[in-house]
Amino acid sequence: MRMLVRCCWGPPLAHGARRGRPSPQWRALARFSQEDCRDSRVREKPPWRVLFFGTDQFAREALRALHAARENKEEELIDKLEVVTMPSPSSKGLPVKQYAVQSQLPVYEWPDVGSGEYDVGVVASFGRLLNEALILKFPYGILNVHPSCLPRWRGPAPVIHTVLHGDTVTGVTIMQIRPKRFDVGPILKQETVPVPPKSTAKELEAVLSRLGANMLISVLKNLPESLSNGRQQPTEGATYAPKISAGTSCIKWEEQTSEQIFRLYRAIGNTIPLQTLWMANTIKLLDLVEVNSSVLADSKLTGQALIPGSVIYHKQSQILLVYCKDGWIGVRSVMLKKALTATDFYNGYLHPWYQKNSQAQPSQCRFQTLRLPTKKKQKKTVAMQQCIE
């Protein structure tokens, strides 16, 4: 018969810490039998046994740092390192899985989470909520490497929303995750960095991934102390970074300023091209550029009344000029059936249109806001869209 025992080998309290209500991890540990205690003793110091959850390039950098620490036998920080990633037809191409295979690390596909003994879990851009039963399997819980200064930008797309909303400061938070809700656990470590002017989300993510990897290693070096000193997130200042949909990429010429459109381009242009409508055809804007003052002085732009979406080809700079709420943006290339330079688009579409409509005003030849059809969301689809950064 299994006996309930009071285990005396749990994570130590920091000096001066109050002995209040036992944590969920402690209550779970207290249910082990004496044999369990002998077989899976909780370590009070490194080296740690780590199970890593991740998928993308941001997560890959954290995994690389953990692997480097495991290979560093002198420091003795990581004893065991195994990986959980998401299954998919293209899962071999996921950065985390690719790195794990190349590094000969054991890899499991979710929902398989291994069967070994672990001290702590680490999550970075994984894409799933982890349930309480899984969290409680780790004596030190599960840490999350989150690329924002929580509680700002909780959710699956913090870097994109940082760029999209023009934040000048961001950072990385190492927190301990809690079940059922995203990004609400206690903060173990947080550092801020300035957002480089005009940086894309991809460029900013690279900066934050390196910072987060270094912070993770720092926390693991003093894990029990870091957990004891964790602080609850502020109740004020919480913002949310939902997953980006295809509709976000549709430019609203009458509503968005040139700065807003350029921020949208820097935020998602690497993954989802901005879209608009031209003569009942969907057209994607591939390469956006700012318009310099010499171009704006052209009489074609100043000598007539224009409405948002009006498009003009500027021959000297070989770009398409598109009028938005407060000014102009430049477009070097588009996708309409195939990729076209601005000159190609002018020769193949704009110039023939003007020849056919010789009396037409430039405002009649314009891009219009693309309205994507609203899809009915099934309950199962909504559940699958829940994700963790």
Side-chain angles (χ1 to χ4, degrees):
M1 181 178 71
R2 293 170 66 90
M3 298 176 58
L4 294 179
V5 297
R6 182 179 180 183
C7 299
C8 59
W9 33 257
L13 292 170
H15 179 70
R18 293 185 300 173
R19 293 186 176 274
R21 185 179 180 183
S23 67
Q25 285 85 359
W26 177 261
R27 293 197 299 272
L29 287 171
R31 296 187 180 95
F32 282 118
S33 68
Q34 287 178 314
E35 292 129 318
D36 294 327
C37 293
R38 287 194 300 269
D39 294 340
S40 59
R41 298 177 67 86
V42 175
R43 300 182 179 184
E44 296 184 359
K45 60 181 181 180
W48 308 119
R49 297 162 295 184
V50 179
L51 184 62
F52 180 83
F53 301 78
T55 57
D56 63 12
Q57 194 65 35
F58 178 85
R60 181 188 182 279
E61 187 64 20
L63 178 59
R64 183 204 60 76
L66 290 171
H67 183 235
R70 178 175 175 267
E71 295 298 297
N72 185 350
K73 302 303 181 183
E74 294 182 3
E75 194 168 29
E76 294 187 341
L77 179 63
I78 306 296
D79 178 28
K80 179 169 76 172
L81 178 60
E82 298 183 351
V83 177
V84 177
T85 191
M86 297 304 301
S88 72
S90 59
S91 60
K92 289 184 179 179
L94 291 174
V96 162
K97 182 167 186 177
Q98 192 174 47
Y99 180 88
V101 171
Q102 291 173 349
S103 304
Q104 298 183 326
L105 296 172
V107 182
Y108 304 96
E109 289 193 346
W110 179 265
D112 185 357
V113 292
S115 58
E117 299 291 345
Y118 308 104
D119 301 302
V120 63
V122 174
V123 165
S125 299
F126 182 55
R128 288 292 183 275
L129 275 172
L130 305 184
N131 60 48
E132 186 172 11
L134 176 59
I135 296 171
L136 292 177
K137 288 185 177 181
F138 299 87
Y140 289 97
I142 300 179
L143 310 182
N144 181 19
V145 185
H146 185 85
S148 82
C149 292
L150 292 171
R152 186 161 179 80
W153 301 133
R154 293 171 174 168
V159 179
I160 287 175
H161 284 273
T162 295
V163 175
L164 188 59
H165 289 80
D167 289 8
T168 57
V169 176
T170 187
V172 174
T173 304
I174 308 295
M175 54 163 284
Q176 192 177 34
I177 71 169
R178 293 289 184 258
K180 299 181 182 180
R181 293 182 62 195
F182 293 124
D183 310 328
V184 298
I187 294 172
L188 309 185
K189 190 176 182 67
Q190 188 174 85
E191 293 186 16
T192 62
V193 293
V195 178
K198 300 180 182 180
S199 66
T200 66
K202 186 176 182 180
E203 293 166 342
L204 182 59
E205 181 183 79
V207 172
L208 297 180
S209 68
R210 292 189 290 270
L211 174 62
N214 292 334
M215 290 170 60
L216 173 63
I217 297 302
S218 175
V219 167
L220 289 174
K221 287 180 179 179
N222 301 283
L223 183 56
E225 181 181 357
S226 296
L227 292 172
S228 296
N229 294 332
R231 58 184 175 87
Q232 296 302 314
Q233 293 186 33
T235 56
E236 296 181 356
T239 55
Y240 299 90
K243 187 185 253 185
I244 295 298
S245 67
T248 308
S249 67
C250 299
I251 299 176
K252 300 175 179 64
W253 300 105
E254 296 85 2
E255 301 174 20
Q256 292 175 305
T257 65
S258 57
E259 175 59 26
Q260 289 173 326
I261 293 171
F262 279 120
R263 288 207 304 255
L264 179 63
Y265 173 65
R266 292 194 294 268
I268 69 172
N270 286 325
T271 54
I272 309 175
L274 305 194
Q275 303 183 85
T276 189
L277 199 63
W278 188 80
M279 300 300 170
N281 295 298
T282 299
I283 183 170
K284 297 178 180 179
L285 310 184
L286 302 180
D287 187 6
L288 271 61
V289 294
E290 294 185 0
V291 183
N292 63 45
S293 56
S294 62
V295 173
L296 294 176
D298 193 305
S299 59
K300 287 184 180 180
L301 308 183
T302 59
Q304 55 190 311
L306 296 167
I307 61 176
S310 299
V311 56
I312 295 174
Y313 175 67
H314 193 260
K315 188 174 182 179
Q316 288 76 14
S317 56
Q318 297 184 326
I319 61 174
L320 298 174
L321 300 174
V322 190
Y323 192 68
C324 52
K325 182 180 179 180
D326 70 338
W328 299 87
I329 65 165
V331 181
R332 290 195 184 279
S333 61
V334 302
M335 173 70 74
L336 182 61
K337 297 181 181 178
K338 63 177 182 179
L340 302 168
T341 65
T343 302
D344 292 336
F345 180 75
Y346 171 73
N347 291 332
Y349 295 93
L350 277 184
H351 186 58
W353 186 89
Y354 275 114
Q355 286 183 318
K356 185 178 179 180
N357 303 276
S358 57
Q359 302 302 315
Q361 295 297 314
S363 60
Q364 294 177 259
C365 180
R366 63 191 181 95
F367 291 151
Q368 295 179 305
T369 297
L370 174 64
R371 308 289 181 183
L372 294 179
T374 303
K375 296 181 180 179
K376 293 183 179 180
K377 296 182 179 179
Q378 301 297 327
K379 290 183 179 180
K380 188 176 293 187
T381 303
V382 173
M384 290 298 290
Q385 285 181 340
Q386 291 181 319
C387 61
I388 196 169
E389 61 312 312

